[in-house]
Amino acid sequence: QVQLVESGGGLVQPGGSLRLSCAASGFTFSRYAMSWYRQAPGKTRELVAGISSITGSTNYADSVKGRFTISRDNTKNTLYLQMNSLKPEDTAVYYCHVPAFSTSWGQGTQVTVSS
């Protein structure tokens, strides 16, 4: 079964940085596109960034473009999200996701950007 375990969240000051990790198992990681979502309390889950499996092309929500970088290490079956210049509005639980497996979600990792 697909398993996704997020880590790396925490409390950070505005303007600070964090790197999130997602350890993936239960599928051939290198063959699948991956994505990061986030969800703040009382709000719907939104797509933050995605990365393809073959070309490695990336896409980002306008709200994070230029600040966040999604990447992957296929030798470690791990997805990353480097978050720089963090803002209070980035506060949310962050989840990794496999678009091909629409019902598979990790537990998420909390990111809190203080104001």
Side-chain angles (χ1 to χ4, degrees):
Q1 298 295 319
V2 173
Q3 186 171 359
L4 304 168
V5 181
E6 299 94 342
S7 63
L11 175 65
V12 65
Q13 298 295 315
S17 298
L18 285 173
R19 189 175 79 156
L20 307 184
S21 298
C22 172
S25 61
F27 64 103
T28 304
F29 178 78
S30 63
R31 297 181 182 174
Y32 290 88
M34 298 292 298
S35 60
W36 284 99
Y37 281 75
R38 66 185 181 188
Q39 186 169 25
K43 297 184 178 180
T44 59
R45 189 153 45 202
E46 63 174 340
L47 179 65
V48 175
I51 185 167
S52 70
S53 60
I54 299 175
T55 66
S57 63
T58 59
N59 60 82
Y60 299 92
D62 288 342
S63 59
V64 308
K65 194 170 298 182
R67 301 187 297 119
F68 291 11
T69 303
I70 187 172
S71 62
R72 63 195 300 160
D73 186 340
N74 288 335
T75 69
K76 298 181 179 179
N77 290 351
T78 302
L79 179 73
Y80 302 98
L81 185 67
Q82 178 66 46
M83 306 185 296
N84 299 326
S85 302
L86 283 162
K87 304 175 180 179
E89 53 262 45
D90 295 319
T91 296
V93 178
Y94 284 72
Y95 302 88
C96 59
H97 185 244
V98 191
F101 309 139
S102 61
T103 61
S104 298
W105 296 92
Q107 297 299 308
T109 185
Q110 176 72 50
V111 172
T112 302
V113 185
S114 65
S115 60

